[in-house]
Amino acid sequence: MSTEIVVEAPGRHRAAPHTPREPGPGEALVRVHAVGICGSDREVYEGNRPEGYVRYPLVPGHEWSGTVERVGPGAPASLAGRAVVGEGFRNCQVCDRCHAGETTLCDAGYEETGFTRPGAMAPTLTLPARLLHVLPEGADLTAAALLEPAACVAAAALKARARPGERVAVVGTGTLGMLAVQFLRAASPAELLVVGTGRERERPARRFGATGFRTRGGELPGGFDVVVETAGSADAARTAAALPRRGGRLVLTGIPAPGADGLDPTDLVVRQLEVRTVFGAPPAAWAHAVRMFAAGLLDPLPLVTHEVPLSAFARAIALAGSGHPDVGKVLLRP
């Protein structure tokens, strides 16, 4: 009998029988290949997810890849049998923000796969076919399971607007940071600095395209045209804000704990920094990530360090939150 993971409440989960939900009009049923664990999944399990951004009980899982088994009425029949990934935000498609392509700002309110709607920690997932992005024939579905975080980084890269020959920096050396290095490398920067908390991530950072590596405890250079923060701490945000030149561009993607000290608005204004933030990925960012992946410019597979069965959910959560330098992306295999 196939099973799914259900988080009943913070700290409480169980394996429950899974019955595929037949796709309705405009929907597709996807056979899940792999699903990733990220910090927000740990927030769901530990009860740290902000109010309104989780609905218990739920099947988690918003980073996933799979193959379409069948579609409902009105969905393209050509999707059947195709390898896909899918957007998580369930936007209304009719409000002003959706019409502008800013689907993560949908006026209808927040709804997302794996947080308020059933997620992919199950053998199958049924969702609107319009949210799917088709992968090229022969795509590595294990690597593709990281295209959700890659899409969030793609959103940051699009907002950063890095141009060839610019000086670029990334603060953070986790999965998002290493993906950011790959996206920004594709813009042909003159310099691509990565800033981490320790030296253990220097080798992968350079393998992905970094030209330099520094630690936050040491003296850091400034004058960067573009800085992307991916670490999700107030200290990382402050470090990132110190790196741009006057008039430079700063993109924040991490979410510090509530109550964290913010950036100095006087400093931001006097230096005329352009500050952008990312929460989720709109369709354009997803399309950018999939194109990069299909073109071979984005290789998420080296970031995967552990693959465990769905039944090892508790172990996967513990691994992902261990902070051990040998633990990268943890995948569950239904």
Side-chain angles (χ1 to χ4, degrees):
M1 179 177 64
S2 62
T3 59
E4 62 188 23
I5 297 299
V6 178
V7 177
E8 298 279 7
R12 290 172 38 211
H13 78 281
R14 62 185 174 89
H18 174 75
T19 301
R21 182 173 71 78
E22 285 302 310
E27 292 186 323
L29 186 150
V30 176
R31 175 67 55 179
V32 177
H33 174 82
V35 55
I37 299 280
C38 87
S40 54
D41 294 305
R42 289 190 289 109
E43 289 176 353
V44 167
Y45 188 64
E46 296 168 0
N48 300 323
R49 185 82 171 163
E51 185 177 356
Y53 290 88
V54 62
R55 188 180 302 137
Y56 300 101
L58 81 152
V59 177
H62 62 287
E63 302 180 359
W64 59 270
S65 63
T67 303
V68 177
E69 286 204 342
R70 52 189 177 273
V71 299
S78 60
L79 285 173
R82 300 301 303 271
V84 295
V85 291
E87 300 176 32
F89 280 76
R90 305 296 186 91
N91 52 82
C92 74
Q93 302 184 86
V94 296
C95 70
D96 286 347
R97 292 303 89 212
C98 284
H99 283 160
E102 298 175 338
T103 54
T104 60
L105 299 174
C106 177
D107 290 341
Y110 173 77
E111 294 284 350
E112 186 176 4
T113 300
F115 298 106
T116 64
R117 301 289 186 94
M121 291 188 189
T124 69
L125 173 65
T126 301
L127 74 167
R130 62 183 173 80
L131 299 178
L132 298 178
H133 290 258
V134 176
L135 302 175
E137 294 290 340
D140 186 330
L141 281 174
T142 300
L146 276 71
L147 285 179
E148 192 278 341
C152 295
V153 174
L158 291 173
K159 290 185 176 185
R161 307 188 314 280
R163 295 183 284 267
E166 290 191 313
R167 298 182 67 221
V168 177
V170 174
V171 177
T173 57
T175 297
L176 294 181
M178 295 300 97
L179 292 170
V181 171
Q182 296 184 60
F183 275 101
L184 295 168
R185 175 194 60 189
S188 300
E191 179 182 354
L192 179 47
L193 175 72
V194 173
V195 179
T197 56
R199 309 291 311 193
E200 64 274 359
R201 299 291 286 171
E202 179 174 2
R203 181 174 295 178
R206 290 186 181 276
R207 184 170 72 246
F208 287 129
T211 61
F213 190 96
R214 299 288 186 94
T215 59
R216 292 214 298 257
E219 184 176 350
L220 297 176
F224 288 89
D225 300 287
V226 171
V227 179
V228 176
E229 177 275 328
T230 67
S233 71
D235 182 58
R238 286 190 292 269
T239 297
L243 297 177
R245 61 169 172 80
R246 294 188 67 193
R249 306 185 294 284
L250 170 65
V251 183
L252 306 175
T253 72
I255 304 177
D261 291 336
L263 305 179
D264 181 357
T266 301
D267 178 62
L268 299 180
V269 172
V270 170
R271 292 168 59 208
Q272 300 184 60
L273 296 187
E274 180 182 330
V275 181
R276 306 292 299 273
T277 63
V278 170
F279 179 66
W286 273 93
H288 184 41
V290 171
R291 281 194 302 268
M292 288 274 290
F293 180 66
L297 297 173
L298 177 66
D299 182 13
L301 192 60
L303 300 175
V304 178
T305 59
H306 295 76
E307 296 182 59
V308 300
L310 198 62
S311 58
F313 170 75
R315 175 176 167 239
I317 288 288
L319 271 172
S322 68
H324 194 282
D326 292 334
V327 177
K329 177 58 67 174
V330 179
L331 297 183
L332 293 170
R333 298 292 294 270

